Amino acid sequence: MTVSASTPSSSTDLTTESTRVLYDQLVVLLKDISHIKGISHLLGWDQMVMMPKKAQDARANHMSVLDATIHGMETSPVLGALLEECERRRLGGDLSAELNPYELANIRIALKSYRQETLVPKELVRELASATAKANFAWKEAREASDFSKFAPFLEEQVKLTRQSVAYKINGGVCEEARKINQKARAALGLSDEDECYKGYYQVLVDIYEPGFKDDHLQVLFGDLKKDLIPLIAKIKAKNFQHENGFLKGDFDIKRQAEFSDKFPTRMGFDMDAGRLDEATHPFCTSAHPTDVRLATRYALDNFQEGITSTIHETGHALYDQGLNMEYVDTPVSLPLSVGIHESQSLLWERLIMLSKPFWTYTLPLLKEQFADRENLQAVSLDQFYLAFNRVEPTLIRLEADEVTYSMHIILRYEIEKALIEGDIQVADVPALWNAKMKEYLGLDVTEDRLGCLQDIHWSVGIMGYFPTYTLGSIYAVQIYDHARELIPDLDEHLAKGEFQVLKEWLNKNVHEKGSLHASGDDLIFELTGKPLDSSLYVKYLTKKYTSIYDL
Amino acid sequence: MTVSASTPSSSTDLTTESTRVLYDQLVVLLKDISHIKGISHLLGWDQMVMMPKKAQDARANHMSVLDATIHGMETSPVLGALLEECERRRLGGDLSAELNPYELANIRIALKSYRQETLVPKELVRELASATAKANFAWKEAREASDFSKFAPFLEEQVKLTRQSVAYKINGGVCEEARKINQKARAALGLSDEDECYKGYYQVLVDIYEPGFKDDHLQVLFGDLKKDLIPLIAKIKAKNFQHENGFLKGDFDIKRQAEFSDKFPTRMGFDMDAGRLDEATHPFCTSAHPTDVRLATRYALDNFQEGITSTIHETGHALYDQGLNMEYVDTPVSLPLSVGIHESQSLLWERLIMLSKPFWTYTLPLLKEQFADRENLQAVSLDQFYLAFNRVEPTLIRLEADEVTYSMHIILRYEIEKALIEGDIQVADVPALWNAKMKEYLGLDVTEDRLGCLQDIHWSVGIMGYFPTYTLGSIYAVQIYDHARELIPDLDEHLAKGEFQVLKEWLNKNVHEKGSLHASGDDLIFELTGKPLDSSLYVKYLTKKYTSIYDL
């Protein structure tokens, strides 16, 4: 911890200090938290990329001490007292004469996070951790056996404990929107405060990953998507058409793939002096600091598309992490706004750029050069390549889904997990409901739980409310990219020449540097584009693109 | 921090608990300290091997928060109370009925380290840190200008502050031997407790790196070495002979060097599932845990010897780190005993094995195979190679010294830094004294401070008392290896077949697993060999070997 004259001690009388003094003291503590979390991210990277396999137990011990240290700093009474005093002043009047919008955002975010960390009693946190370990184990066994009933009692317990922790958060005031929804539902149903009512509980979970985003808005966005995408998917499926793609098949030497792919981060503007690119079993990006962003990708011998897709997707995340606001670095306002906005940055590059014609105008000749001995690749035209690279095929497995069908996987999960948490369905209802929705949205029959409601790890580790961020990311990405194209009129020409950095710099300025200044992804989009977040742009993008590709 | 029922709180009345209960509570705290230090070592490795260059400032912040966390844990009042209560009981009577020797060692080491961490006032620690930063900067400038006078005032300040911190330690009782020396000197000189007297101060510094080792013994060992090695070196020099070594010169492709060298850690018994080997600017070995030991080596294009030497030297360290006692892992008794013993493990492999004929009986054919296109290498015989590989040549630069002359560099530094700390010489005397000793010990004229008393970083960063561990390491290594040869009669045959692990296993059992059970390197050697530490074995080894090589 930084030992400095401005570090407060618990005995200081905060009420007599100026707000500026309180803020400066707060920043000292927040920076220390940022530093120690940076260490945690580095260890996470090391574990995935470098750690020898026998070090697993030792690393668990290392992380446990570090987590406890972080928790101690995040819940320190000195931090709490500073934040509550700032909040008292904010409620009593406007602080904007004393603090700028970035500083005010820091207080807002830090207070929320302090409350999140302190509201749930330690015993419940421990109970949740223990239930999670058991549920994750049971999920693996159930998936192996493809039998949801083996997982059901553990999911039941997860739902029960999650609701308990949500209740503490609602009562502690971390999510005003959830409280409103709950009150309204109680009034409508004539329930008292003592009656059980879980309405609004899902809002609290969404708010963890997508701060400030209203579940009501999610419902509207997802409803609109369903309305338009289900028929689009059905139309594509009915065509039953497959563009020639033999040139994408067969083995692509891993070393040559890596040589080819590894140049893209730099081309996109990733600074190799402020980060690294390595290989890992699962691609990821983690950041210890904007000057230390670690990328990991992977290559598959028989699937060339996977390597380049992973590299570009993760680089999209990495550009956000490197592009954060350095003036407020190591304080909450500089951090990425939400999981959905983070995903928008990876999806923008992965889908709107890497699946586009301008990208392959530049890249296809490079690919042909790198694999000069593949004759069928040499012969392929840009149009042929583009058509083959953009195939749509409904699948039962979310991780294999393309950009058209992916959202249906997400909406299905969103509807089920929300209904579960809010008590509209029972755990036992999950498999049948899953299978019915899969049929309705993608026209597919689920033959096994393994390929249906047991495919994702999320619920087993107590993660609910996260799924929506994937599709929110797509919606954000299209609206941000549409706006970028309006303001950079010759963008396609740049991309076709491999000049990707013009887009990177635009994103730096308009998205990355904003960090968490705005209260939600909705607000960021409105500030940036002058319009509310709108899923119809996403639908329009998909419809236009695939109408042409599939000649609908 | 591990949250457990046995973690003590500061309000517990320790005097009513059993020693076993106190010990168990202590172990919880000591393990947490070990875990958090493991993280620090990992970050150190990352910084040297992986970190992108722009992350330097961020990493300094990360380390600063982590160091403060470690310091907080090491100086926690709860830890202190437990240790002092154990010490009170030890002084009041024998604890060996309740605790085994490993457990007793844990208390002894932890108490000493707790006192080391808490005795020096914070203000002095800060003053030392600040003086060190300035001194290191001044040293770089002085070395650049080859002008000791530019560094002198900063060294003066280092000596002054170091003495102050030593005084706190002597008064706090961390080094009984130093107190005795000081009292004896005061009595002999008729000084009162108020008079300045720095006798015994150097003992405290030695004790930091070589716990329990008596400076009196160092003096005897080093005196004996000088007596025998100065004439040996003079004789070799007088021969003025250079064995043919053209086959070691010229470029050796780095990639092929790496392929060749990188197999040695595994051959020597290093477990690649419990560690890694990477490249770095400076070779090193660091350990987060016996299951996570990180090696780094380097290769020089025009110096084949450097790569293999670095790899084998660092692997010697790594085998010690991997071979520590797992029953007491993460507690002080399991840790390496001292810097000198650690160095003995690297030197044993680097010199006694890698510079030996049995080693090259096995290795030379592999080297010829790996560099099949080097004709002069193909033609060389084992004897020719051995002679060329073992050349002796006095040099002004410690880091370039061979195994015969290296100790002279160390003894010279030992004599000067001890005299400085204890007030027998002044800072201004250093260059002339250095140059005179260099002439006496190695027959060399120092023409520039840059090549003389300004060559090492140690004093500029406040490290005094460390140099002796290098030569202690050599003395330990020979005595340990002599003993191993007695007990493994066919050792040379094993080595000549590349069966290095028989030695590794012997070292595991006889040195590594002992950890810090014994109170000093002296004690370990006595327990292991049944004889006191004896530098004449080292002299005998060098004399026999080089009498033959140089036909003296």
Side-chain angles (χ1 to χ4, degrees):
Chain A
M1 284 132 269
T2 314
V3 179
S4 119
S6 66
T7 309
S9 82
S10 45
S11 57
T12 317
D13 178 10
L14 299 179
T15 58
T16 62
E17 301 284 2
S18 75
T19 304
R20 169 58 54 192
V21 166
L22 296 187
Y23 178 79
D24 288 345
Q25 293 182 347
L26 184 62
V27 164
V28 171
L29 301 179
L30 294 177
K31 288 196 171 186
D32 279 351
I33 293 173
S34 171
H35 300 325
I36 197 102
K37 282 187 168 174
I39 294 173
S40 174
H41 297 162
L42 279 169
L43 290 190
W45 170 83
D46 185 87
Q47 188 162 349
M48 304 285 277
V49 179
M50 296 290 162
M51 190 182 84
K53 67 182 181 189
K54 287 186 183 168
Q56 227 164 357
D57 291 348
R59 183 59 59 89
N61 287 329
H62 291 164
M63 289 307 294
S64 145
V65 179
L66 193 66
D67 287 346
T69 303
I70 294 173
H71 184 72
M73 291 165 79
E74 285 185 327
T75 58
S76 92
V78 178
L79 176 66
L82 276 172
L83 286 167
E84 296 294 355
E85 175 59 20
C86 289
E87 178 66 358
R88 198 185 60 78
R89 292 182 191 196
R90 188 187 69 83
L91 293 172
D94 192 8
L95 292 182
S96 61
E98 290 165 279
L99 301 174
N100 73 30
Y102 286 87
E103 295 167 336
L104 289 169
N106 265 335
I107 294 177
R108 167 177 56 76
I109 303 162
L111 177 67
K112 185 166 175 178
S113 136
Y114 177 78
R115 288 181 175 168
Q116 296 257 25
E117 289 294 327
T118 51
L119 283 170
V120 182
K122 269 185 199 166
E123 302 68 44
L124 180 53
V125 171
R126 268 202 285 275
E127 221 180 326
L128 261 162
S130 153
T132 293
K134 287 177 200 151
N136 186 243
F137 189 79
W139 167 73
K140 283 176 191 155
E141 292 206 317
R143 194 179 54 161
E144 190 90 8
S146 199
D147 179 358
F148 181 78
S149 71
K150 286 185 193 294
F151 177 49
F154 298 91
L155 181 55
E156 197 98 61
E157 184 70 8
Q158 294 282 56
V159 169
K160 189 189 94 187
L161 296 173
T162 301
R163 282 179 187 153
Q164 287 176 15
S165 91
V166 166
Y168 282 108
K169 290 182 182 178
I170 293 184
N171 296 332
V174 296
C175 187
E176 207 40 52
E177 177 72 8
R179 196 206 295 266
K180 271 191 231 157
I181 299 172
N182 192 264
Q183 293 302 343
K184 211 169 134 189
R186 284 177 191 278
L189 296 163
L191 299 174
S192 79
D193 278 359
E194 278 65 50
D195 293 318
E196 277 192 348
C197 171
Y198 306 123
K199 289 284 170 260
Y201 274 40
Y202 191 72
Q203 172 68 66
V204 175
L205 300 177
V206 168
D207 198 63
I208 295 171
Y209 309 105
E210 202 59 35
F213 206 96
K214 294 190 178 166
D215 182 35
D216 279 356
H217 195 192
L218 268 187
Q219 278 192 63
V220 173
L221 292 168
F222 287 2
D224 288 348
L225 280 187
K226 270 165 67 174
K227 191 166 53 61
D228 293 321
L229 292 185
I230 294 175
L232 178 67
I233 292 165
K235 267 182 16 198
I236 294 173
K237 213 177 160 191
K239 271 272 174 176
N240 196 17
F241 183 76
Q242 173 70 67
H243 292 288
E244 159 61 18
N245 66 355
F247 47 83
L248 288 177
K249 294 195 171 157
D251 288 351
F252 285 77
D253 177 65
I254 296 277
K255 221 178 128 189
R256 281 153 76 194
Q257 275 196 60
E259 271 174 16
F260 170 75
S261 287
D262 288 3
K263 293 191 183 108
F264 281 91
T266 307
R267 284 188 188 124
M268 289 160 67
F270 181 75
D271 181 353
M272 282 290 178
D273 288 337
R276 298 179 51 88
L277 168 65
D278 295 277
E279 279 183 62
T281 316
H282 299 286
F284 70 100
C285 171
T286 194
S287 169
H289 189 267
T291 58
D292 197 353
V293 176
R294 313 265 174 125
L295 275 169
T297 190
R298 71 169 166 203
Y299 316 97
L301 183 65
D302 61 350
N303 183 346
F304 152 76
Q305 205 162 347
E306 185 171 323
I308 180 82
T309 301
S310 297
T311 300
I312 287 183
H313 180 97
E314 298 308 333
T315 302
H317 284 303
L319 293 179
Y320 192 6
D321 287 331
Q322 283 192 340
L324 295 170
N325 191 317
M326 287 302 283
E327 196 179 338
Y328 292 93
V329 74
D330 283 321
T331 66
V333 70
S334 79
L335 294 179
L337 177 56
S338 71
V339 174
I341 294 291
H342 225 312
E343 194 68 10
S344 80
Q345 296 307 293
S346 53
L347 292 177
L348 191 156
W349 286 98
E350 177 196 335
R351 293 184 182 163
L352 301 165
I353 306 301
M354 198 207 63
L355 293 179
S356 76
K357 257 189 209 171
F359 178 86
W360 287 104
T361 305
Y362 170 73
T363 303
L364 186 57
L366 300 176
L367 183 68
K368 288 181 178 179
E369 202 181 305
Q370 183 72 0
F371 294 96
D373 53 346
R374 290 185 66 107
E375 282 175 33
N376 60 359
L377 187 64
Q378 299 304 317
V380 76
S381 73
L382 175 62
D383 279 340
Q384 286 173 309
F385 191 89
Y386 173 75
L387 294 174
F389 218 67
N390 280 288
R391 63 187 175 282
V392 172
E393 198 175 353
T395 158
L396 289 173
I397 305 300
R398 175 178 64 85
L399 286 172
E400 297 169 1
D402 52 71
E403 63 174 336
V404 183
T405 56
Y406 197 94
S407 292
M408 293 301 113
H409 291 272
I410 295 309
I411 294 172
L412 175 158
R413 285 156 175 79
Y414 161 77
E415 291 171 339
I416 292 176
E417 66 181 16
K418 181 180 167 178
L420 255 184
I421 282 292
E422 301 201 341
D424 294 332
I425 61 168
Q426 300 304 309
V427 165
D429 303 332
V430 169
L433 197 56
W434 183 290
N435 300 352
K437 285 179 188 288
M438 192 52 85
K439 185 74 181 172
E440 182 189 347
Y441 302 166
L442 295 177
L444 298 174
D445 294 304
V446 181
T447 51
E448 289 189 81
D449 291 345
R450 193 171 61 81
L451 305 174
C453 59
L454 284 177
Q455 69 183 270
D456 296 307
I457 194 178
H458 301 56
W459 296 342
S460 82
V461 291
I463 293 180
M464 293 182 152
Y466 187 100
F467 280 124
T469 65
Y470 292 110
T471 284
L472 264 185
S474 311
I475 303 173
Y476 289 141
V478 171
Q479 191 156 345
I480 291 169
Y481 190 56
D482 275 6
H483 191 60
R485 286 168 70 98
E486 271 172 41
L487 298 183
I488 316 173
D490 50 354
L491 182 54
D492 278 356
E493 286 73 44
H494 283 297
L495 298 177
K497 285 188 274 183
E499 294 162 6
F500 304 135
Q501 299 203 20
V502 58
L503 177 60
K504 177 253 178 191
E505 277 154 25
W506 190 91
L507 291 169
N508 278 161
K509 195 163 154 275
N510 291 285
V511 178
H512 308 168
E513 286 174 14
K514 303 291 180 202
S516 291
L517 177 63
H518 300 296
S520 70
D522 258 341
D523 284 7
L524 171 69
I525 292 295
F526 192 83
E527 288 296 325
L528 174 61
T529 67
K531 291 174 207 145
L533 184 67
D534 178 4
S535 64
S536 76
L537 298 171
Y538 179 39
V539 170
K540 214 159 101 186
Y541 155 73
L542 292 177
T543 306
K544 189 176 162 204
K545 177 172 172 181
Y546 290 93
T547 297
S548 154
I549 290 176
Y550 282 94
D551 194 18
L552 303 178
Chain B
M1 282 131 269
T2 315
V3 179
S4 119
S6 66
T7 310
S9 80
S10 45
S11 57
T12 317
D13 179 11
L14 300 178
T15 58
T16 61
E17 300 284 3
S18 76
T19 303
R20 170 58 53 194
V21 166
L22 297 187
Y23 178 80
D24 289 345
Q25 292 182 349
L26 185 62
V27 164
V28 171
L29 301 179
L30 295 177
K31 288 197 170 183
D32 278 351
I33 292 173
S34 171
H35 300 326
I36 196 103
K37 281 186 168 175
I39 294 174
S40 174
H41 297 163
L42 279 169
L43 290 190
W45 170 84
D46 185 88
Q47 187 162 348
M48 304 285 276
V49 180
M50 295 291 162
M51 189 182 84
K53 66 180 181 190
K54 287 186 183 167
Q56 226 164 358
D57 291 348
R59 182 59 59 89
N61 287 329
H62 292 162
M63 288 307 294
S64 146
V65 179
L66 193 66
D67 286 346
T69 303
I70 294 172
H71 184 72
M73 290 165 80
E74 285 185 329
T75 58
S76 92
V78 178
L79 176 66
L82 276 172
L83 286 167
E84 296 295 353
E85 175 60 19
C86 288
E87 178 66 359
R88 197 185 61 79
R89 292 181 192 198
R90 189 187 68 85
L91 292 172
D94 191 8
L95 293 181
S96 61
E98 290 163 280
L99 302 174
N100 73 30
Y102 287 87
E103 295 166 336
L104 289 170
N106 266 335
I107 293 177
R108 169 177 55 77
I109 303 162
L111 177 67
K112 186 167 174 178
S113 136
Y114 177 78
R115 287 181 176 170
Q116 296 257 24
E117 289 294 328
T118 51
L119 283 171
V120 182
K122 268 185 201 165
E123 301 68 44
L124 180 53
V125 172
R126 268 203 285 274
E127 222 180 325
L128 262 163
S130 152
T132 293
K134 287 177 200 150
N136 185 241
F137 189 79
W139 168 72
K140 283 177 192 156
E141 292 205 318
R143 193 178 54 160
E144 189 91 7
S146 199
D147 179 357
F148 181 78
S149 71
K150 286 184 194 294
F151 177 49
F154 298 91
L155 181 55
E156 198 97 59
E157 184 71 8
Q158 294 281 57
V159 169
K160 189 189 93 186
L161 295 174
T162 300
R163 282 180 188 152
Q164 288 177 15
S165 91
V166 165
Y168 282 107
K169 289 182 182 176
I170 293 185
N171 296 332
V174 296
C175 186
E176 206 41 52
E177 177 73 8
R179 196 206 296 265
K180 270 191 231 157
I181 299 172
N182 191 264
Q183 293 301 343
K184 212 169 132 189
R186 284 177 190 278
L189 296 164
L191 299 174
S192 78
D193 279 0
E194 279 64 49
D195 294 316
E196 278 192 347
C197 172
Y198 308 122
K199 289 284 169 261
Y201 275 39
Y202 191 72
Q203 173 68 68
V204 176
L205 300 177
V206 169
D207 198 64
I208 296 172
Y209 309 105
E210 202 59 35
F213 206 96
K214 293 191 179 165
D215 182 35
D216 280 355
H217 195 192
L218 268 186
Q219 278 191 62
V220 174
L221 292 169
F222 287 2
D224 288 347
L225 280 187
K226 270 165 66 173
K227 191 167 53 62
D228 293 320
L229 291 186
I230 293 174
L232 178 66
I233 293 165
K235 268 182 15 196
I236 293 173
K237 214 177 157 190
K239 273 270 176 179
N240 195 17
F241 183 75
Q242 173 70 68
H243 292 288
E244 159 62 19
N245 65 356
F247 46 84
L248 288 177
K249 295 196 170 156
D251 289 350
F252 285 76
D253 177 65
I254 296 278
K255 219 177 128 189
R256 280 153 76 195
Q257 274 196 61
E259 270 174 16
F260 170 74
S261 287
D262 289 3
K263 293 191 183 109
F264 282 90
T266 307
R267 282 188 189 124
M268 289 160 66
F270 181 75
D271 181 354
M272 282 289 180
D273 289 336
R276 299 179 51 86
L277 169 65
D278 295 276
E279 279 184 60
T281 316
H282 299 285
F284 70 100
C285 170
T286 194
S287 169
H289 189 267
T291 58
D292 196 355
V293 176
R294 312 265 173 125
L295 275 169
T297 190
R298 71 170 165 201
Y299 316 97
L301 182 64
D302 61 350
N303 184 346
F304 152 76
Q305 205 161 346
E306 185 170 323
I308 180 83
T309 302
S310 297
T311 300
I312 287 183
H313 179 98
E314 299 307 334
T315 303
H317 284 302
L319 293 179
Y320 192 5
D321 289 331
Q322 281 192 341
L324 295 171
N325 190 318
M326 287 301 283
E327 194 179 340
Y328 292 92
V329 75
D330 283 320
T331 68
V333 70
S334 80
L335 293 179
L337 178 55
S338 72
V339 174
I341 294 290
H342 225 311
E343 195 67 11
S344 80
Q345 296 308 292
S346 52
L347 291 177
L348 191 156
W349 287 98
E350 177 196 334
R351 295 184 181 163
L352 300 165
I353 305 302
M354 199 208 64
L355 293 179
S356 77
K357 256 189 210 171
F359 178 86
W360 287 104
T361 305
Y362 170 72
T363 304
L364 186 58
L366 299 175
L367 182 68
K368 289 181 177 179
E369 201 181 307
Q370 182 72 359
F371 294 96
D373 52 347
R374 289 184 67 107
E375 282 176 32
N376 60 0
L377 187 65
Q378 299 305 317
V380 77
S381 74
L382 174 62
D383 280 338
Q384 286 173 309
F385 191 89
Y386 173 74
L387 294 174
F389 218 68
N390 281 287
R391 64 188 173 283
V392 173
E393 198 175 352
T395 159
L396 291 174
I397 306 300
R398 175 179 62 86
L399 287 172
E400 296 169 2
D402 52 72
E403 65 173 336
V404 184
T405 57
Y406 197 95
S407 292
M408 293 303 113
H409 291 271
I410 295 309
I411 294 172
L412 175 158
R413 286 157 177 76
Y414 161 77
E415 291 170 340
I416 293 177
E417 67 180 16
K418 181 179 168 181
L420 254 185
I421 281 292
E422 301 202 339
D424 295 331
I425 60 167
Q426 300 304 309
V427 165
D429 303 333
V430 169
L433 197 57
W434 185 290
N435 301 351
K437 284 178 188 288
M438 192 51 85
K439 185 73 182 173
E440 182 190 349
Y441 301 167
L442 294 177
L444 298 175
D445 294 303
V446 181
T447 51
E448 290 188 81
D449 291 345
R450 193 170 61 82
L451 306 173
C453 60
L454 285 177
Q455 70 184 270
D456 294 308
I457 195 178
H458 301 57
W459 296 342
S460 82
V461 291
I463 293 180
M464 293 183 152
Y466 187 100
F467 280 124
T469 64
Y470 292 110
T471 285
L472 265 185
S474 311
I475 303 172
Y476 288 140
V478 171
Q479 192 156 347
I480 291 169
Y481 190 57
D482 274 7
H483 191 60
R485 286 168 70 100
E486 271 172 40
L487 298 184
I488 316 172
D490 49 356
L491 183 54
D492 279 355
E493 286 72 44
H494 283 295
L495 297 177
K497 286 188 274 182
E499 294 163 7
F500 304 136
Q501 300 203 18
V502 58
L503 177 59
K504 177 253 180 191
E505 277 154 25
W506 189 91
L507 291 169
N508 278 160
K509 193 162 154 276
N510 291 284
V511 179
H512 308 168
E513 286 173 13
K514 302 291 178 201
S516 291
L517 177 62
H518 300 296
S520 70
D522 259 340
D523 284 8
L524 171 69
I525 293 295
F526 192 83
E527 288 296 325
L528 174 61
T529 67
K531 292 172 205 145
L533 184 67
D534 178 4
S535 64
S536 76
L537 298 172
Y538 179 41
V539 170
K540 214 159 101 188
Y541 156 73
L542 292 176
T543 306
K544 189 176 162 203
K545 177 171 171 181
Y546 290 94
T547 297
S548 154
I549 289 176
Y550 282 94
D551 194 18
L552 302 178

